[in-house]
Amino acid sequence: MSSRDMPDGHPDVAALAGLLADRSRAAFCLALLDGHAWTVTELARYAGVAVSTATEHLNLLVAGGLLTEERRGRHRYLRLAGADTAELIENLAARAPRRPTPVRSLTDANRRRALAHARVCYDHLAGSLAVAIADGMTASGLLTWEHGPRLTERGIAWLVEADIATDTPPPGRQPHIRTCLDWTEQRLHLAGALGAALYGHMVAAGWLAEAGPSRIITLTPAGRTGLRDHLGLPDAALVPVG
């Protein structure tokens, strides 16, 4: 198809790809997968660039619609534009080639294991634990993958009984389920409203603990017991490995 055959207003995929073609801009987007708002100075320090350089890159990301900004006094805060943007970044990360980086210390090795096991992806859980939860819901008959991911009647009732959802959908209607391709596991984990509801419930119940400014999420002893009892997750899925 030639350019003259393209419909008016066709998507400029090259422009979007260009926004992420710079490693500093890509690093900013990956950092913001934690769902928090960062200052320009924090993002510059994270990517190892000057504040002036970070500002130029961030202006491009805001103009391109990947980030939004908020002013609080003299400070400028940046965050991802939304959950759909976070899923886009996570899916791209899953398909991106891996650049080998040396492990410089035991602390670094432990951090990598923990990040691969459980991390926040904007508003839902990612990592091998998130994949194991999707597997556990499937094995328990709460979730089916026929014609795409779908809650079973038993799954809908389970969400209501566990106070993860407050009501059932109308007859014949299914809650919309979105998924992310996990970049460390190369398998799908639950995203969208269901993923966010599950994550929020587990944090509120004390099953998951957020580790400060890091994306790393810690599974608590109560969480290990709960996931083992409610979803039948094996012990190997409940601890970081590698």
Side-chain angles (χ1 to χ4, degrees):
M1 179 183 292
S2 68
S3 60
R4 70 182 65 184
D5 297 323
M6 295 293 286
D8 290 340
H10 65 274
D12 191 351
V13 176
L16 175 61
L19 287 174
L20 296 171
D22 180 271
R23 284 203 168 97
S24 292
R25 292 196 292 271
F28 296 154
C29 291
L30 288 170
L32 290 167
L33 281 174
D34 69 355
H36 297 132
W38 292 45
T39 66
V40 177
T41 301
E42 289 170 335
L43 287 168
R45 187 182 302 118
Y46 176 84
V49 297
V51 171
S52 58
T53 301
T55 298
E56 293 176 6
H57 287 312
L58 292 167
N59 287 343
L60 289 172
L61 291 170
V62 170
L66 292 180
L67 303 186
T68 59
E69 63 179 341
E70 177 185 347
R71 300 277 182 173
R72 301 179 197 168
R74 295 184 297 106
H75 296 288
R76 180 190 185 197
Y77 289 84
L78 289 302
R79 65 170 68 245
L80 291 176
D84 56 345
T85 302
E87 290 168 30
L88 169 67
I89 300 300
E90 180 85 1
N91 286 332
L92 287 174
R95 291 171 170 83
R98 295 288 179 265
R99 284 194 301 143
T101 53
V103 177
R104 303 186 183 281
S105 66
L106 179 60
T107 299
D108 185 29
N110 289 337
R111 179 187 176 280
R112 294 188 191 194
R113 281 195 292 269
L115 191 67
H117 181 241
R119 62 185 180 277
V120 64
C121 179
Y122 191 72
D123 62 357
H124 61 271
L125 187 68
S128 62
L129 180 62
V131 171
I133 288 172
D135 287 346
M137 290 180 66
T138 303
S140 300
L142 308 177
L143 189 68
T144 177
W145 294 85
E146 282 189 57
H147 312 297
R150 181 174 61 85
L151 285 169
T152 63
E153 292 299 320
R154 180 180 174 186
I156 294 172
W158 177 73
L159 292 178
V160 174
E161 290 168 6
D163 289 328
I164 299 172
T166 56
D167 53 16
T168 58
R173 295 285 299 277
Q174 270 283 333
H176 180 58
I177 297 179
R178 297 172 68 172
T179 57
C180 270
L181 180 60
D182 199 279
W183 66 266
T184 52
E185 292 300 298
Q186 298 293 304
R187 294 184 57 209
L188 296 176
H189 62 244
L190 297 174
L194 176 59
L198 287 169
Y199 175 66
H201 178 79
M202 288 189 286
V203 171
W207 289 15
L208 300 175
E210 298 175 338
S214 169
R215 289 182 64 194
I216 294 172
I217 299 297
T218 300
L219 180 64
T220 67
R224 284 193 288 274
T225 300
L227 290 175
R228 190 184 297 115
D229 293 346
H230 289 276
L231 294 178
L233 264 60
D235 289 342
L238 302 176
V239 295
V241 296

